[in-house]
Amino acid sequence: MEYPKFPKDCKSLLCKYLTEDVFNKLKERVTPNGYTLEMAINSGVKNPDSSIGIYAGDKESYEVFDLLFDPIIEEYHGFKKNDTHKSDFSSDKLDFDLLDKDGEFILSTRIRVGRNLLGYPLGTIISKKERDEVEERVKNALLKLGGSLKGEYYPLKGMSKEVQQKLIKDHFLFKEGDRFLEAAGLNREWPDGRGIFHNDEKTFLVWVNEEDELRIISMQKGGNIKEVFERLANAVEALESKMEFLKSEHLGYITSCPTNLGTAMRASVHIKLPKLSTNKALFKEITDRNHLQIRGTHGEHSKSEEGIFDISNARRLGISEVEAVSDLYNGVKELIEVETKL
Ligand code: ARG
């Protein structure tokens, strides 16, 4: 493989850190599961508008291609090669007031974590047989959950287009045909092995075999961040007693995209900020200072509609789950205070 040609205006972290020197040092390397540099960078090469542009094939990818992953991880999370990751998922540590008591701003709250199973490669290079096996194991574990987590598993294969579209529109299901995932190998044999589990209320959901083998999600209407976090903590604990997830001392939970390492937690609100939406500089100053990311109404790579934004923590590695959700809480609190005064 030759050094890829990136367009002049390419802004991804891949373009920034894949120098010819790094490329030449890594181009012959292969992980024990057969993942190569060419596979790792394909998404960012095919999609030069990527913000990151690189995916892992297994836990070892982060060591074998460390020359490229390390600076990307450091720039995204502020996490250095010799830092260690620590976890703290205890909801009793959250001293949160209920934000937006009158329900004027926050439409809904959603917190997810990504997980992958120990003993399998990541979705980028998993075989169909292994993916089906992961689905079966995850499904069986999920169907054993009781109490308020009890629910049903719905495979994507055979699901009607209408049901699928409705679930996507209501923000319950992942979308189909994402070009970033496609080029990363994550859409192979779609929709086989993919599915969604949810409880009756759709407050606890698990996506199976999308970007990560599991995306464990807690969500509900309104702005009660602590309640959403608590449900997720319980669900993750229940699942962790039924299966072992891929993790490392240094990087925490291992995910296919380096932005999700560590806690693998994205805590978000859908929030209506009509005034701040017309003052982008102030809006961005507040979110940047609070380590938050602004996405559009329909999530990543989408536009905002009617002044509604998806706001979430950007850092996930080198901070605990409690700290990650606190980034969201503190930032949203400030956004609401400023919006009210404008
Ligand atoms: N690969 C995509 C990009 O670089 C997504 C990066 C972060 N998001 C994610 N879902 N992993 O733009």
Side-chain angles (χ1 to χ4, degrees):
M1 188 206 181
E2 306 249 316
Y3 183 72
K5 286 191 192 69
F6 292 111
K8 282 244 155 24
D9 60 349
C10 181
K11 290 189 186 66
S12 71
L13 296 186
L14 177 69
C15 301
K16 184 165 171 187
Y17 293 110
L18 187 69
T19 58
E20 282 206 61
D21 179 48
V22 168
F23 178 84
N24 287 325
K25 285 188 174 126
L26 300 181
K27 68 178 179 198
E28 305 293 335
R29 296 200 187 172
V30 186
T31 72
N33 291 295
Y35 201 63
T36 62
L37 180 69
E38 186 170 4
M39 295 170 172
I41 67 176
N42 191 52
S43 190
V45 171
K46 295 271 162 61
N47 301 288
D49 59 337
S50 290
S51 53
I52 314 294
I54 183 167
Y55 290 85
D58 43 24
K59 179 171 158 178
E60 292 82 2
S61 301
Y62 289 106
E63 292 149 29
V64 172
F65 305 112
D66 61 347
L67 284 179
L68 181 55
F69 275 113
D70 285 346
I72 291 179
I73 289 171
E74 180 167 344
E75 176 157 343
Y76 185 84
H77 297 281
F79 183 84
K80 298 204 174 63
K81 185 142 185 88
N82 295 318
D83 289 346
T84 38
H85 179 69
K86 53 186 183 325
S87 166
D88 183 358
F89 222 138
S90 30
S91 52
D92 41 297
K93 299 245 175 78
L94 306 181
D95 186 19
F96 290 1
D97 293 327
L98 185 59
L99 299 174
D100 186 29
K101 286 193 189 61
D102 303 326
E104 272 179 83
F105 304 102
I106 305 177
L107 305 173
S108 60
T109 304
R110 175 189 192 271
I111 311 178
R112 61 81 165 155
V113 291
R115 293 288 186 270
N116 291 279
L117 289 194
L118 180 72
Y120 295 91
L122 296 168
T124 44
I125 44 162
I126 199 167
S127 68
K128 173 162 169 30
K129 183 164 165 286
E130 289 168 316
R131 191 192 301 110
D132 290 347
E133 225 173 273
V134 168
E135 181 192 32
E136 196 58 24
R137 289 180 57 178
V138 172
K139 180 178 100 178
N140 290 336
L142 287 167
L143 292 175
K144 289 201 187 85
L145 294 175
S148 58
L149 301 178
K150 188 175 160 3
E152 276 297 326
Y153 181 71
Y154 305 88
L156 213 57
K157 197 172 180 162
M159 185 183 285
S160 78
K161 277 277 169 260
E162 295 90 76
V163 172
Q164 197 180 330
Q165 282 314 318
K166 172 122 189 7
L167 285 171
I168 293 172
K169 189 171 157 284
D170 293 341
H171 306 281
F172 292 122
L173 183 62
F174 45 87
K175 53 185 199 279
E176 187 172 333
D178 180 278
R179 64 189 161 91
F180 301 89
L181 298 185
E182 176 69 34
L186 283 155
N187 289 347
R188 288 169 302 123
E189 289 104 20
W190 186 279
D192 286 28
R194 278 77 175 192
I196 179 180
F197 171 93
H198 63 75
N199 65 356
D200 291 343
E201 287 178 293
K202 296 203 186 92
T203 53
F204 166 59
L205 304 94
V206 178
W207 293 353
V208 181
N209 286 321
E210 194 235 14
E211 182 175 323
D212 288 301
E213 288 156 12
L214 293 92
R215 285 290 177 91
I216 308 169
I217 303 161
S218 168
M219 64 194 275
Q220 67 191 42
K221 293 245 152 39
N224 195 332
I225 300 176
K226 185 170 175 171
E227 204 168 284
V228 175
F229 184 90
E230 215 159 12
R231 183 188 303 110
L232 182 65
N234 290 336
V236 170
E237 195 185 313
L239 285 175
E240 212 137 37
S241 72
K242 299 187 186 343
M243 55 188 109
E244 220 179 318
F245 298 130
L246 197 58
K247 58 178 169 181
S248 91
E249 186 88 24
H250 177 53
L251 295 175
Y253 290 102
I254 301 298
T255 52
S256 61
C257 176
T259 62
N260 286 319
L261 290 164
T263 59
M265 172 174 283
R266 191 172 90 90
S268 62
V269 293
H270 263 172
I271 186 167
K272 199 163 186 154
L273 300 167
K275 293 184 180 142
L276 273 171
S277 79
T278 62
N279 191 339
K280 287 272 155 51
L282 178 59
F283 193 3
K284 201 161 173 319
E285 188 277 314
I286 300 170
T287 51
D288 282 352
R289 185 160 34 76
N290 286 283
H291 309 286
L292 298 181
Q293 201 175 63
I294 309 174
R295 296 182 176 186
T297 318
H298 299 286
E300 192 167 32
H301 310 115
S302 79
K303 288 204 174 65
S304 166
E305 289 168 11
E306 301 166 33
I308 299 170
F309 299 89
D310 173 326
I311 306 284
S312 58
N313 60 300
R315 308 183 289 180
R316 316 193 210 291
L317 171 63
I319 59 171
S320 70
E321 288 78 1
V322 164
E323 290 171 293
V325 77
S326 299
D327 276 353
L328 177 74
Y329 175 82
N330 295 330
V332 169
K333 189 170 175 185
E334 185 175 344
L335 286 171
I336 292 177
E337 277 161 15
V338 172
E339 174 79 14
T340 312
K341 285 192 200 120
L342 281 176

